[in-house]
Amino acid sequence: MKTTPLILLLLACSSAFAQHSISFKIDGFSNKYYGLVLVRDTANVFKAGTVKIFDKATKKELMHTTSDELTFDLHEGQVRANILEAPYGEQSLIIYEDFNFDGVKDFALMDGQNSCYHGPSFQIWLAQGTGFKHSDAFTRLAQEYCGMFVVNQKDKVLETMTKSGCCWHQFSRFKVENGQLKTVSVEESSLSNTEPFFEEVSQQTWVNGKEEQTLKQYISEVDTLFSFTLAKNGKQVVLFQAAQGEFLFYALCLKDGSVEFSYPEVVYDEKKQENVGGVMTFSNGKLSFKNDDASYEIYDEGNGKIGVKVLSDGKNYVFEGVEGSVKGDLDNLKKLDKKNLNKTL
């Protein structure tokens, strides 16, 4: 049969790639298997190449991935397996670990940079019988989040993270039940888009097929002026300014740091073309404000006598503070520009 020029050209290109490709044997992670990576060069961060797994006894290739965007670091001239610095650090071409908690190790092979923010992604093969079977479900966990998932052997769950910009993150946990992946929990955190820029954390959990949801807020990026702990219930009173310093805020926080109540609620006034909130008054060492439900007074009478007085439905309540818990000085409020205390809605 006569060989055409096109076939000769393709054979020549294939031969040239084989002659000029660089190979690294990846060993030491198993007494049964070894890996091999072949790349065109090592000068670029993203390298075109192939990752392969071989059986040590038979020299038979078991699986492989091919990509134009492999990434790896050399450690004393060697490529190492099982480095997983999630979510943004070094992640090996080969991860050999028990992903489905059946006592037998499985394989993850990098297939490029297909996860969030052009991060490393992987194809997953689970051990089955005497060989391995590709898993679409486990592969999705290594494609649709940020980098390779983390195996939490203690809790027997797989953990993923993804994000959008600086201010939204999602953390998910999955368990393996009858060979299938089941979502255990999904936690999302974000910053509110108005002062005082609370961190909002929502969590969904599934227990015995029943879904539970919680939503909490936490104080974030603030300048705390005065705070103390209430003796009766251990809650914390916090007076603070947000990062922009436009308003003074009061917050009552639970023991876990989440915000139970805060004042004021800031909104943007279209007519005034500015943010506005409620009224706070400071005089004679007392800070006062009120909303539709109650009137509040934070006091510091000296000699360790601090607390909060609340008038609600015609009844007075006094919540004393723990003297040793005081941080800051209520008199710091004298230094504030009065407009920060008295902007009204």
Side-chain angles (χ1 to χ4, degrees):
M1 182 180 68
K2 185 177 180 180
T3 304
T4 66
L6 177 59
I7 294 176
L8 288 174
L9 179 60
L10 292 175
L11 290 173
C13 290
S14 176
S15 176
F17 178 80
Q19 291 174 5
H20 293 91
S21 64
I22 303 168
S23 65
F24 295 92
K25 186 177 181 180
I26 308 173
D27 209 347
F29 60 88
S30 169
N31 58 7
K32 294 182 179 180
Y33 312 106
Y34 70 91
L36 189 70
V37 56
L38 297 94
V39 293
R40 190 180 297 274
D41 65 72
T42 58
N44 297 318
V45 174
F46 301 115
K47 309 165 182 65
T50 301
V51 184
K52 299 181 178 183
I53 298 296
F54 293 88
D55 185 293
K56 283 186 175 181
T58 64
K59 309 301 181 184
K60 178 182 177 181
E61 179 185 321
L62 303 179
M63 65 198 73
H64 75 271
T65 56
T66 299
S67 172
D68 290 333
E69 294 187 310
L70 298 177
T71 59
F72 58 87
D73 294 330
L74 292 177
H75 298 266
E76 298 179 349
Q78 302 295 316
V79 179
R80 294 181 181 174
N82 286 350
I83 298 175
L84 181 55
E85 298 173 350
Y88 304 121
E90 182 182 355
Q91 300 189 18
S92 293
L93 297 170
I94 298 170
I95 305 295
Y96 183 56
E97 192 171 353
D98 181 9
F99 301 144
N100 56 355
F101 310 106
D102 63 355
V104 184
K105 291 186 177 181
D106 311 295
F107 274 108
L109 271 59
M110 186 183 295
D111 70 344
Q113 309 295 306
N114 303 309
S115 69
C116 82
Y117 287 87
H118 198 239
S121 56
F122 295 81
Q123 295 289 323
I124 309 298
W125 283 265
L126 300 178
Q128 189 173 84
T130 59
F132 296 87
K133 183 179 180 180
H134 184 269
S135 171
D136 291 339
F138 280 76
T139 294
R140 282 195 293 273
L141 294 190
Q143 299 277 333
E144 298 175 359
Y145 299 88
C146 290
M148 177 64 182
F149 54 78
V150 173
V151 182
N152 184 331
Q153 293 287 357
K154 178 182 178 182
D155 297 334
K156 303 299 182 185
V157 294
L158 305 178
E159 300 173 339
T160 65
M161 187 279 283
T162 189
K163 60 173 290 186
S164 177
C166 68
C167 305
W168 181 86
H169 293 77
Q170 183 190 78
F171 304 88
S172 302
R173 288 158 61 94
F174 303 85
K175 65 179 179 180
V176 182
E177 190 174 278
N178 298 323
Q180 303 297 313
L181 287 169
K182 301 290 184 181
T183 306
V184 175
S185 65
V186 178
E187 180 180 293
E188 295 182 2
S189 66
S190 61
L191 290 181
S192 56
N193 55 15
T194 58
E195 282 197 281
F197 306 117
F198 288 132
E199 179 186 7
E200 299 178 342
V201 178
S202 65
Q203 187 171 56
Q204 295 172 277
T205 57
W206 287 264
V207 179
N208 297 324
K210 184 179 179 180
E211 179 182 350
E212 298 180 0
Q213 296 188 19
T214 60
L215 176 62
K216 294 184 178 182
Q217 292 183 322
Y218 297 86
I219 297 173
S220 177
E221 300 180 5
V222 301
D223 179 14
T224 299
L225 303 175
F226 185 64
S227 68
F228 60 88
T229 302
L230 298 180
K232 184 176 181 179
N233 50 32
K235 298 177 181 179
Q236 188 176 41
V237 170
V238 184
L239 295 174
F240 64 93
Q241 283 188 293
Q244 296 180 0
E246 190 176 359
F247 292 92
L248 175 69
F249 292 92
Y250 165 91
L252 181 64
C253 301
L254 302 176
K255 290 182 179 181
D256 66 358
S258 62
V259 177
E260 181 180 65
F261 167 74
S262 68
Y263 179 91
E265 179 181 355
V266 177
V267 297
Y268 186 75
D269 189 302
E270 293 288 349
K271 293 182 179 180
K272 296 181 179 180
Q273 296 291 296
E274 64 177 359
N275 291 325
V276 294
V279 177
M280 284 186 171
T281 303
F282 180 72
S283 63
N284 300 321
K286 298 177 182 179
L287 178 73
S288 303
F289 63 90
K290 63 180 180 179
N291 58 18
D292 293 338
D293 299 319
S295 298
Y296 299 81
E297 180 183 276
I298 296 90
Y299 65 88
D300 184 354
E301 299 176 353
N303 298 319
K305 294 183 178 180
I306 54 174
V308 181
K309 297 178 181 179
V310 181
L311 173 61
S312 178
D313 294 330
K315 296 182 180 180
N316 289 299
Y317 304 89
V318 179
F319 300 92
E320 297 181 347
V322 178
E323 179 181 357
S325 68
V326 176
K327 295 181 181 179
D329 189 338
L330 196 58
D331 283 339
N332 285 337
L333 303 184
K334 293 179 180 179
K335 304 174 185 178
L336 296 178
D337 190 319
K338 286 187 178 297
K339 69 179 182 180
N340 290 339
L341 288 170
N342 298 313
K343 282 192 174 183
T344 61
L345 180 59

